[in-house]
Amino acid sequence: MKTLSAVALMVMVIGAVGAQEEVIKREVRWSPTPGINLAKGKACAFTPAPNYGLCTDAGDATDLTDGLYNACEWREKGTVGWGVGRNRVFLVDIDLGAEEPIGSITFDSVTGGAQVTFPSAVLVFVSSDGKQYRYLGDVMTEAMPQEQFLNHRFSVTGLKGFGRYVRLAILPGGFYLFCDEIEIMKGDHTAEQSRYAGDQTIAAEEVANFAVGLRPWVNQKNATLTLLRYADEAVLERRQAGAPSGKVQKALEAVERARQEVLRARDVQEPDLLAGPPYRSFERGAFAAVGALNGPAGIRLWRNDDWSWLKPLARPQRQMPELAVDMMNNEWGSASFNVTSCGEKAQELQFQAADWSGPQTVPAAQVLSLAQVIHSEAFGYNYRDDALVPVKLGEKISLPAGLSQRLWLTFKTRGMDLKPGTYRTAITVTNDGKKVGQVPVRLRVWPLRFPDQTTLHNNTWGYFNEKVIVGRELETAQNLLDHYNTSLVINHSYLPYPKPDKDGNFTEPLDFTKLDQMIAWNPECRFWLLWAGFEFGFDRLGTPKFGGPVWEKVFTQWVTQIRDHLAEKGIGKSEFAWYWWDEPGAKVWNEKCLPAAKLVKQIDPQMLCYENAVAQVTPQMLEEGLPYFDLYCPSIGGIANRKYVEVCRKTRVPSWVYACASEKNSSPFGYYRWFSWNAFKLGFGGIGMWVYVDANSQTLSDYTGGVSYSLIYGSPKGILNSKRWEAWRQGVADYEYLVMLRSAAEQARQAGKAPEAVAQAESLLTAGVDEVVGEDIYQGDPADSPKAEAMRLKILECLVALSK
């Protein structure tokens, strides 16, 4: 998936829903709210109309006011749902039939799984004539967890609205929006006693714009309420751990004061997203109260699983053990530790590291670099420690009161030839020049060398025309190389297109300027995908239509001239493939992709063709396409059909597999690192993750410019890696470890040597891989991260045994 069209999103979530069947619970069935429901039986009018296929039907107009509850399941017709697409607001209009006092409103919604979230806001407007409205308030006054399936009835009470026409302006919180029931409960006040959130009257046609204009305030309210919920949870956790009851009560009161303050506030405080939470004054007092429960002023050093998500107010779990990292020469490695701020004031910290001692003395910074892992705001208002902001050794950083933050260590032996053996250093933490902690680090360099080129192809659709990248192209190219990226997509905007006359003769030479620039920026790219962009009309190639003698003449000249130009640039026919249409369905496959691939093979059988067809293209169709397509790249959802995998194993070039949603909520291990292990198990030769960068990756929030699928972040400090991007790289390295083990075992077997080590290798390559991958075909278990680490160590031991 390369553009977030509504149709593409619909296809994606329907596939995801199938994967999430097990998490959908049916036991939540709300009862009607006591009192008089003025909306009961009234028809709803929608702008835009509901469009989610599994629940949209002719009965939608009364589904939200029929008094029936179905846990807001998006598979049932009683639910009303939308794929958000590019819509910024959704309107629901209810005519009560007469002017009535409105005392409370409820909105039944659902979150969790398949990228479904609660709305960000359900803003209520009331009118007497349907022409001029008054803003009454927001139904979303609490921050519920959105990390797993949850059906919840939101309500706002104590209202003093009065009118006949009620308009709900719903601001989406992510990609999909669902509602099961709306109640408008009758109040006991008079028209003279009515009260509103503002004196302004709003014309009916301006309500949507007014609602969208409240988005910064809505984001502030939701973000702060979520962080205050974290604070509540943190206080209760510390009470269970034995914190003094007086301090606990004081902290709970501080959290409640902050909650009331943010609900009353109408001014918006601009957050420093790059600094991470706490963002605003409302939150800082609550964080400081948690800091007081953490202990006397200072810090606590501790660690947990590197690839897990660390909540901003996590409680330290154990003292700091030695950080142990095992790796070969010529690769990258990762580890982390956590630092928690204690007391009611921020801590100003510095980190220093001594030279590595061991088989040779090595300057610390030659192998080790450090980064703060800043919490990003993922859709669903989930705070994920994901963005890696580099910290130079000796640089001062501020750690807000109460905050728990991960410090990320990156180990680089890439391009190095260190003497094998065990190296040690320590990271000393100082506060105002005084030592306040130390992290011992042990690095073991095994007598092995990671290859210069990885076996597994790795493509992340790295578009160099995105705003975050422009002006940073060489930095981007190096960042991709540093993450074992082997393949790049030549976006159709970088390909030259012909301008033919009516007879198919080119009226001017092809302009290779942009194509040549991409090649110049990425001289070490091993495999290029030439995305022709047929879905955007480029299939006609300047002719009146696709197909026919004139079109074939133009097509032939076009592909051969590009082929020859690439050859002049040193890119042979085995180093690029034609990519006609992104995610083609059955009709497009038959009418566009297959004819183009057939013609390419007639022109030059050695040129390669690639496609990432969707599930509508059956295994039989893929089988019939084998003479013309050299590698396939199904999505992770598509390979649930094992016949797809069987066909993909027959391609001339090893096929790839990809995922089309690199969103911030997915587990670094269970989604990103796991992906390579699964590819190895299934026999794929390449992996893909959409996307390296997109238009919304300029901030650390999915609520500023829109949800970002990017694996990196843009910032004034340059390109920032994410923990997910580091996990993706580690998975590619895991795959290479397995390839090295398989090769070494085969060589030893043929030579009749090291039979015990060969048997151990065979067990690791089968049962060991199965244990890490697990049984889920869509993602791994985040808790299985230690299994992957244990496997790597066993592989290193086995490789050494086989080498003897």
Side-chain angles (χ1 to χ4, degrees):
M1 180 181 299
K2 314 305 167 286
T3 56
L4 283 179
S5 68
V7 173
L9 282 170
M10 186 69 68
V11 170
M12 180 178 68
V13 82
I14 289 174
V17 168
Q20 306 267 349
E21 293 280 339
E22 296 178 1
V23 303
I24 295 179
K25 309 297 183 185
R26 290 181 169 272
E27 61 268 19
V28 180
R29 301 283 178 173
W30 298 103
S31 299
T33 299
I36 299 173
N37 178 7
L38 301 170
K40 181 73 176 292
K42 304 296 192 300
C44 297
F46 304 104
T47 308
N51 62 9
Y52 188 74
L54 295 181
C55 60
T56 296
D57 66 350
D60 282 347
T62 55
D63 282 344
L64 303 186
T65 55
D66 57 10
L68 302 176
Y69 297 83
N70 62 13
C72 207
E73 292 187 19
W74 50 74
R75 302 168 299 176
E76 295 195 5
K77 297 302 182 183
T79 298
V80 173
W82 292 267
V84 171
R86 299 185 184 277
N87 294 298
R88 298 185 300 167
V89 62
F90 296 81
L91 303 181
V92 179
D93 284 291
I94 302 175
D95 179 355
L96 302 181
E99 290 189 274
E100 298 281 3
I102 297 167
S104 64
I105 295 177
T106 71
F107 187 91
D108 192 46
S109 192
V110 68
T111 192
Q115 301 183 353
V116 176
T117 65
F118 290 134
S120 289
V122 180
L123 306 173
V124 183
F125 299 82
V126 179
S127 171
S128 294
D129 58 8
K131 297 177 180 179
Q132 297 291 324
Y133 283 82
R134 299 283 296 277
Y135 172 48
L136 185 58
D138 184 6
V139 179
M140 312 292 285
T141 58
E142 54 185 328
M144 300 301 296
Q146 299 199 55
E147 296 179 332
Q148 57 186 358
F149 182 89
L150 176 64
N151 171 223
H152 186 70
R153 176 193 283 169
F154 291 91
S155 66
V156 56
T157 59
L159 299 177
K160 297 288 185 179
F162 202 93
R164 171 177 174 174
Y165 301 95
V166 177
R167 173 170 288 181
L168 305 183
I170 307 169
L171 300 181
F175 297 108
Y176 300 93
L177 166 65
F178 296 99
C179 182
D180 174 26
E181 197 73 12
I182 294 171
E183 296 173 319
I184 301 174
M185 305 307 296
K186 187 172 184 176
D188 57 6
H189 54 278
T190 65
E192 291 72 23
Q193 294 172 323
S194 62
R195 297 289 184 273
Y196 297 91
D199 296 330
Q200 180 181 4
T201 58
I202 308 154
E205 60 271 19
E206 290 299 319
V207 168
N209 290 332
F210 180 89
V212 171
L214 289 179
R215 170 62 86 172
W217 172 79
V218 166
N219 289 345
Q220 171 177 276
K221 174 179 65 70
N222 290 344
T224 299
L225 288 177
T226 300
L227 292 170
L228 294 179
R229 173 168 57 80
Y230 285 175
D232 263 334
E233 294 168 355
V235 171
L236 296 178
E237 184 181 20
R238 284 153 180 78
R239 180 173 67 183
Q240 293 175 352
S245 58
K247 286 187 175 181
V248 167
Q249 184 60 34
K250 182 180 177 181
L252 291 174
E253 291 171 357
V255 175
E256 184 56 30
R257 282 197 303 273
R259 182 179 291 109
Q260 294 305 318
E261 186 180 356
V262 74
L263 287 174
R264 290 193 302 268
R266 287 296 175 263
D267 294 334
V268 177
Q269 300 177 20
E270 190 68 28
D272 183 356
L273 296 169
L274 195 58
Y279 301 116
R280 303 169 178 91
S281 62
F282 315 111
E283 304 142 17
R284 293 189 188 107
F287 272 56
V290 174
L293 294 176
N294 287 337
I299 63 166
R300 286 276 303 276
L301 298 173
W302 57 290
R303 72 171 311 207
N304 61 348
D305 179 60
D306 299 326
W307 306 109
S308 64
W309 293 126
L310 178 73
K311 286 192 174 182
L313 293 169
R315 185 173 69 88
Q317 297 301 304
R318 54 177 174 152
Q319 294 299 318
M320 186 66 228
E322 181 182 63
L323 277 178
V325 176
D326 291 79
M327 59 193 298
M328 307 179 194
N329 268 305
N330 202 40
E331 66 165 324
W332 299 85
S334 299
S336 72
F337 66 91
N338 306 323
V339 56
T340 296
S341 178
C342 303
E344 296 183 285
K345 294 183 178 180
Q347 306 294 315
E348 302 295 325
L349 305 178
Q350 291 175 293
F351 302 88
Q352 298 284 359
D355 290 347
W356 293 96
S357 63
Q360 64 188 95
T361 300
V362 181
Q366 189 173 333
V367 174
L368 176 66
S369 59
L370 193 65
Q372 291 175 275
V373 190
I374 302 298
H375 289 86
S376 301
E377 192 171 60
F379 67 83
Y381 295 98
N382 294 313
Y383 292 86
R384 308 301 192 186
D385 61 316
D386 188 50
L388 273 58
V389 177
V391 176
K392 294 180 180 179
L393 294 174
E395 179 183 354
K396 185 177 290 187
I397 69 167
S398 178
L399 189 70
L403 183 70
S404 287
Q405 188 173 82
R406 192 183 301 274
L407 275 295
W408 197 260
L409 281 65
T410 299
F411 299 83
K412 178 187 177 183
T413 62
R414 193 72 167 166
M416 299 179 67
D417 192 17
L418 297 175
K419 293 179 181 179
T422 299
Y423 295 80
R424 282 189 163 82
T425 188
I427 298 174
T428 301
V429 187
T430 60
N431 189 342
D432 290 333
K434 297 180 181 179
K435 178 180 175 181
V436 293
Q438 193 171 59
V439 180
V441 184
R442 189 269 291 165
L443 170 65
R444 183 176 180 183
V445 179
W446 289 71
L448 301 160
R449 187 169 186 82
F450 195 84
D452 291 332
Q453 291 190 346
T454 56
T455 304
L456 184 68
H457 270 295
N458 173 15
N459 171 48
T460 53
W461 283 269
Y463 301 146
F464 277 52
N465 58 351
E466 291 289 358
K467 186 175 181 179
V468 167
I469 302 303
V470 174
R472 296 171 173 165
E473 292 85 359
L474 294 179
E475 179 188 355
T476 301
Q478 188 60 54
N479 184 267
L480 287 162
L481 280 176
D482 288 347
H483 288 79
Y484 307 128
N485 199 92
T486 66
S487 175
L488 283 167
V489 174
I490 291 288
N491 188 297
H492 44 82
S493 64
Y494 279 86
L495 280 177
Y497 289 91
K499 295 180 180 179
D501 61 22
K502 62 181 179 60
D503 298 317
N505 301 306
F506 287 13
T507 59
E508 59 184 64
L510 293 177
D511 183 359
F512 290 102
T513 304
K514 290 184 177 181
L515 175 60
D516 289 348
Q517 183 63 78
M518 275 294 290
I519 295 170
W521 284 329
N522 299 278
E524 296 185 58
C525 178
R526 287 163 47 198
F527 196 79
W528 298 91
L529 292 173
L530 308 185
W531 180 19
F534 278 7
E535 60 265 56
F536 302 111
F538 297 115
D539 59 315
R540 296 191 296 275
L541 298 176
T543 65
K545 64 177 183 177
F546 178 93
V550 174
W551 179 87
E552 290 186 4
K553 179 180 178 179
V554 173
F555 180 88
T556 301
Q557 296 176 82
W558 183 61
V559 298
T560 54
Q561 287 186 29
I562 291 177
R563 175 202 64 190
D564 295 344
H565 183 82
L566 291 174
E568 292 174 3
K569 294 292 181 179
I571 299 173
K573 288 180 281 190
S574 64
E575 296 170 307
F576 74 90
W578 291 101
Y579 172 13
W580 311 117
W581 189 296
D582 183 52
E583 297 179 336
K587 180 178 174 63
V588 169
W589 177 269
N590 288 322
E591 295 181 359
K592 300 291 177 71
C593 299
L594 197 56
K598 286 181 177 180
L599 187 51
V600 159
K601 291 303 181 182
Q602 293 175 23
I603 296 166
D604 185 344
Q606 293 184 326
M607 278 199 286
L608 306 179
C609 292
Y610 155 105
E611 266 307 344
N612 60 338
V614 299
Q616 293 175 355
V617 180
T618 66
Q620 182 180 350
M621 294 168 69
L622 292 179
E623 183 96 36
E624 293 168 352
L626 285 174
Y628 315 107
F629 288 96
D630 300 274
L631 74 157
Y632 293 133
C633 185
S635 73
I636 187 67
I639 65 171
N641 184 341
R642 294 300 169 168
K643 291 182 179 180
Y644 262 84
V645 179
E646 293 173 8
V647 176
C648 288
R649 286 173 176 162
K650 298 178 182 179
T651 53
R652 283 179 289 275
V653 177
S655 285
W656 305 355
V657 61
Y658 82 107
C660 62
S662 172
E663 46 93 358
K664 299 181 186 69
N665 284 315
S666 294
S667 162
F669 172 77
Y671 190 70
Y672 294 89
R673 186 176 177 183
W674 171 90
F675 207 86
S676 293
W677 288 83
N678 194 42
F680 181 87
K681 177 178 178 178
L682 296 174
F684 284 99
I687 56 172
M689 176 62 73
W690 190 82
V691 64
Y692 175 73
V693 63
D694 61 24
N696 296 330
S697 57
Q698 300 174 60
T699 76
L700 273 64
S701 172
D702 280 343
Y703 290 99
T704 51
V707 174
S708 172
Y709 278 110
S710 179
L711 286 162
I712 60 158
Y713 298 90
S715 82
K717 298 185 177 183
I719 292 172
L720 301 181
N721 294 325
S722 68
K723 196 163 75 173
R724 295 167 294 121
W725 187 218
E726 302 301 283
W728 185 257
R729 172 171 66 186
Q730 195 72 359
V732 175
D734 294 342
Y735 187 104
E736 196 64 35
Y737 271 42
L738 294 166
V739 170
M740 293 174 70
L741 182 62
R742 184 173 59 194
S743 176
E746 182 59 28
Q747 291 179 24
R749 184 186 299 106
Q750 292 180 1
K753 297 179 179 179
E756 292 183 1
V758 169
Q760 172 72 358
E762 291 175 344
S763 175
L764 292 174
L765 292 167
T766 52
V769 171
D770 288 346
E771 186 176 4
V772 173
V773 172
E775 297 182 358
D776 195 314
I777 60 174
Y778 297 100
Q779 57 188 357
D781 186 342
D784 284 345
S785 172
K787 294 180 180 179
E789 296 296 343
M791 271 284 290
R792 279 175 63 92
L793 186 57
K794 291 177 182 178
I795 291 170
L796 289 168
E797 293 170 344
C798 196
L799 283 170
V800 170
L802 288 167
S803 69
K804 295 178 181 179

